[in-house]
C-alpha cells in the first residue's frame, strides 16, 4: 500500500522535559539529553522508508539508551539539583543537535538535522524539501527555543550556564561514523574551542577517572546557536558514555561533576 506523503493537520508539539527538569534556582548546570527519545509521531512515519522491523533496528542502534535515566538519577543525587532537558522524540525524526545548514559535517553521509540515510548508508527518507522544512518547524525550532530559554534562565539566575550534553555510543564503530578509526574510551569528552574551558575538562577528568579521552570518537559540545561562539557565559561539554559502562558508576561520576562545576 502506498503511504501518503501529506503533512497537513500535523499536531502541534512542545518539547517535554523529564520529571527532574526543574532544578534548584541556584544551579547554573543544565543537563541536555537530546538522543534518548524513541517516539516517531504518526504524521512523520509515512516519510520513513524502512518497514517497522528495519526502523526498529535503526532506532535500537542509534538511540542513546538510558541517558535520560542516568541524567535524572544524577540530578536527583546532586547537592544542588541541576536543570534537565530530555528530548522524547527519536533522532530519526529530527536530530535536534545537528546544525540545520551546511556547517553540519554529517550531511556528507545523509545524516544532517533531517536524516535521509541510516547507520549503514541506506536510504531511509526521500529528498523532500517541504517535508524537511515541516520537520524543522515542528521539532527542531521548538527544541532550540526550549534550550535557549533554559540557558537564558540559568544566566539570569546565576550569571552563567554550564551545559553538560549527555550521550552514549556503541562499543564498536557503526558504518556511518566519520571518525571511527580513533580510540573508543570508556568516557569520551567532546569539547568546543570557545565554550569548553580547561577547568571544565579538568573537573570531568577528575569525576570520571580512568580511560577518559577528549574528542574521540566524537567531538564538539552543544550550545544554542544564538550564543554559539559569542557568549562566554555559556560553558559546554559533551559527555559520551560507551554503552558497556555500567550505569551506577556513570551516575556517581556525573553527580560528582555536577557538584564540582555547580559550586
Amino acid at each position: 500500500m502506498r503511504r501518503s506523503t501529506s503533512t497537513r493537520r500535523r499536531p502541534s508539539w512542545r518539547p517535554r522535559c523529564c520529571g527532574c527538569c526543574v532544578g534548584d534556582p541556584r544551579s547554573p548546570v543544565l543537563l541536555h539529553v537530546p538522543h534518548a527519545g524513541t517516539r516517531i509521531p504518526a504524521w512523520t512515519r509515512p516519510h520513513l522508508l524502512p518497514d517497522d522491523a528495519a526502523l526498529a533496528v535503526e532506532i535500537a542502534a542509534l538511540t542513546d539508551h538510558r541517558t535520560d535515566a542516568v541524567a535524572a538519577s544524577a540530578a536527583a543525587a546532586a547537592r544542588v539539583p541541576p536543570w534537565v532537558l530530555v528530548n522524547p522524540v527519536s533522532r530519526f525524526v529530527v536530530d535536534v543537535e545537528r546544525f540545520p545548514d551546511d556547517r553540519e559535517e554529517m550531511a556528507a553521509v545523509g545524516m544532517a538535522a533531517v536524516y535521509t540515510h541510516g547507520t549503514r548508508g541506506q536510504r531511509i527518507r526521500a529528498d523532500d524539501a517541504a517535508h524537511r522544512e515541516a520537520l524543522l518547524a515542528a521539532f527542531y525550532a521548538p527544541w532550540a527555543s526550549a534550550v535557549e530559554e533554559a540557558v537564558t534562565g540559568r544566566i539570569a539566575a546565576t550569571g552563567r550556564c554550564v551545559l553538560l550534553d549527555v550521550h552514549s555510543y556503541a562499543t564498536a564503530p557503526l558504518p556511518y561514523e566519520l571518525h571511527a578509526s580513533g580510540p573508543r574510551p570508556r568516557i569520551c569528552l567532546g569539547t568546543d574551542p570557545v565554550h569548553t574551558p580547561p577547568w571544565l575538562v579538568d573537573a570531568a577528568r577528575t569525576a570520571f577517572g580512568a580511560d577518559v579521552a577528549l574528542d574521540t570518537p566524537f567531538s564538539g559540545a552543544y550550545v544554542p546557536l544564538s550564543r554559539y561562539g559569542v557568549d562566554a557565559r555559556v560553558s559546554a561539554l559533551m559527555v559520551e558514555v560507551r554503552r558497556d559502562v555500567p550505569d551506577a558508576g556513570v551516575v556517581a561520576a556525573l553527580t560528582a561533576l555536577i557538584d564540582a562545576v555547580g559550586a
Side-chain angles (χ1 to χ4, degrees), residues 42-70:
W43 69 271
T44 72
R45 179 63 181 96
H47 294 264
L48 289 164
L49 302 177
D51 62 24
D52 289 348
L55 182 58
V57 170
E58 287 293 285
I59 291 173
L62 214 55
T63 300
D64 289 352
H65 303 282
R66 307 189 315 278
T67 51
D68 50 348
V70 165

Side-chain angles (χ1 to χ4, degrees), residues 59-233:
I59 291 173
L62 214 55
T63 300
D64 289 352
H65 303 282
R66 307 189 315 278
T67 51
D68 50 348
V70 165
S73 296
R79 290 195 297 266
V80 179
W83 299 63
V84 184
L85 202 56
V86 177
N87 180 16
V89 177
S90 172
R91 63 197 298 185
F92 283 97
V93 178
V94 168
D95 193 327
V96 295
E97 201 162 64
R98 299 273 159 91
F99 284 114
D101 50 35
D102 57 10
R103 287 175 291 179
E104 181 50 63
E105 70 167 354
M106 295 304 295
V109 292
M111 298 179 76
V114 176
Y115 297 174
T116 56
H117 292 72
T119 59
R120 294 173 287 108
Q122 77 278 29
R123 173 69 72 164
I124 65 165
R125 186 185 272 116
D127 293 319
D128 183 336
H131 183 59
R132 178 182 182 278
E133 292 306 312
L135 291 173
L136 293 177
F139 301 103
Y140 191 96
W143 183 258
S145 295
V147 180
E148 172 64 35
E149 181 180 342
V151 170
T152 299
R154 295 306 83 226
I155 292 174
T158 70
R160 64 191 179 111
C161 179
V162 182
L163 201 160
L164 302 178
D165 197 25
V166 184
H167 294 260
S168 68
Y169 74 98
T171 55
L174 295 173
Y176 81 94
E177 294 181 24
L178 296 179
H179 308 288
S181 60
R184 301 180 82 81
R186 179 175 154 272
I187 303 293
C188 162
L189 301 176
T191 67
D192 179 86
V194 174
H195 293 280
T196 309
W199 60 261
L200 182 51
V201 173
D202 291 345
R205 285 189 180 277
T206 298
F208 284 100
D211 198 16
V212 174
L214 299 184
D215 297 316
T216 179
F218 300 100
S219 63
Y222 181 80
V223 176
L225 288 176
S226 63
R227 299 180 184 273
Y228 183 66
V230 297
D231 193 342
R233 295 173 297 178

